[in-house]
Amino acid sequence: MYTDLNRPPLVADALRRALVRESPGGDPDAFYSSLDVVTETGSTNADLLARAADSALDRAVLISEFQDHGRGRHARSWVAPPRSAVSVSVLLRMPGIDPADLGWLPLLAGVAVVDAMRSVAEVDAVLKWPNDVLIGGKKVAGILAEVAATAPIPSVVLGIGLNVSLTESELPVPTATSLALAGAATTDRDTVVRALLRALATEWTKWHRNGWDTKALAESYRDRCATIGQRVRAELPGGGELLGTASGIDAQGRIVISPDGGREPVAVSAGDITHLRPQE
């Protein structure tokens, strides 16, 4: 049994009252339909994907105090000690969206995480394209969106992993950090979860009301993306690489790289890049 008093469990009932519209005593205008907190699971994304066939399930939140098979892009492992992080997934139905625009959802989530961290944790969070959240050049959060269905209603499971109280020795790689190590104003996970999910609801609702138009979302994303203007090295599948300056984000959410040597800019999707790193 995990008993570290510096890492208390999330208070599920309080989170439901704050975030779930049908919770007893909850806000009737809340965005989410359900919120569950489990002690341990393999992957919150995998769990919600397995339940996505239930068409009545929408805006459902699943949080785990510990994941032993958490993962990011390209199936990279993401594991943190129990109660040291926020591991949350949300199932979202997106009626009327063009499935080609679903790739904007993880970028929207990046905007929400940055805004939440700037607000409640008072840290200088920024985005690294496509959807890593950085503090001081080190990764504090990652986002993974997985399509559950494209018809009849496009549906996506969106997962967010955020390092909260990890110590230096607990970090998975030297390029990672946590809110605690970054000197955040709060490392209370209940506060962080409320801020994060409210910011996500706000951004999703704005996008939905705009008829899934990506223009305003793209501007919000660009304003928070520190990759733009950097000299970068894009590592490509098969061992190739592309060197140049990240000059923008296009209408499809792809990174635009102006290659060295004055060649024409190239727009590259997240699936076409193994790693995107600053040039040393």
Side-chain angles (χ1 to χ4, degrees):
M1 184 75 176
Y2 193 79
T3 57
D4 185 344
L5 297 180
N6 292 318
R7 290 175 174 168
L10 291 167
V11 184
D13 286 344
L15 290 174
R16 290 190 193 100
R17 286 194 297 272
L19 298 165
V20 177
R21 59 177 177 263
E22 296 172 3
S23 175
D27 181 353
D29 296 322
F31 179 81
Y32 300 98
S33 65
S34 66
L35 185 150
D36 295 306
V37 178
V38 297
T39 301
E40 180 175 343
T41 191
S43 162
T44 53
N45 260 33
D47 290 350
L48 281 185
L49 284 167
R51 297 169 59 194
D54 178 0
S55 60
L57 192 68
D58 185 19
R59 303 186 185 186
V61 178
L62 178 62
I63 306 171
S64 182
E65 300 282 28
F66 175 68
Q67 290 189 121
D68 58 8
H69 283 84
R71 63 195 190 282
R73 289 197 316 119
H74 300 295
R76 296 179 187 123
S77 176
W78 185 83
V79 178
R83 301 180 187 170
S84 68
V86 169
S87 305
V88 56
S89 296
V90 185
L91 173 63
L92 295 167
R93 310 285 182 185
M94 306 182 69
I97 194 172
D98 183 338
D101 288 331
L102 290 175
W104 275 101
L105 183 60
L107 278 65
L108 176 148
V111 170
V113 175
V114 164
D115 287 356
M117 294 307 97
R118 289 178 179 179
S119 174
V120 300
E122 299 178 19
V123 291
D124 188 17
V126 296
L127 286 166
K128 173 192 171 187
W129 183 88
N131 45 36
D132 285 347
V133 179
L134 308 183
I135 302 173
K138 294 189 174 183
K139 182 175 177 178
V140 71
I143 296 160
L144 177 66
E146 298 181 277
V147 176
T150 56
I153 299 176
S155 307
V156 180
V157 173
L158 180 71
I160 301 170
L162 172 67
N163 295 333
V164 178
S165 66
L166 279 79
T167 64
E168 198 88 44
S169 64
E170 291 172 329
L171 294 174
V173 291
T175 53
T177 191
S178 67
L179 292 182
L181 290 171
T186 183
T187 55
D188 180 276
R189 290 187 307 135
D190 289 273
T191 299
V192 169
V193 168
R194 285 195 298 272
L196 191 159
L197 289 175
R198 282 173 174 156
L200 178 63
T202 295
E203 293 301 323
W204 190 96
T205 299
K206 285 193 294 188
W207 191 24
H208 186 209
R209 287 176 177 168
N210 284 336
W212 307 119
D213 184 87
T214 61
K215 185 176 179 180
L217 172 55
E219 286 303 312
S220 295
Y221 182 87
R222 293 183 187 111
D223 287 345
R224 294 157 179 78
C225 184
T227 306
I228 298 173
Q230 283 188 343
R231 289 187 51 75
V232 296
R233 181 177 78 253
E235 298 177 7
L236 309 175
E241 65 178 14
L242 177 64
L243 302 176
T245 299
S247 54
I249 306 294
D250 74 2
Q252 285 74 51
R254 299 176 299 182
I255 189 77
V256 179
I257 299 176
S258 298
D260 294 342
R263 290 175 290 156
E264 287 293 315
V266 178
V268 189
S269 70
D272 293 332
I273 294 179
T274 304
H275 290 286
L276 184 73
R277 307 186 191 280
Q279 285 194 49
E280 309 232 338

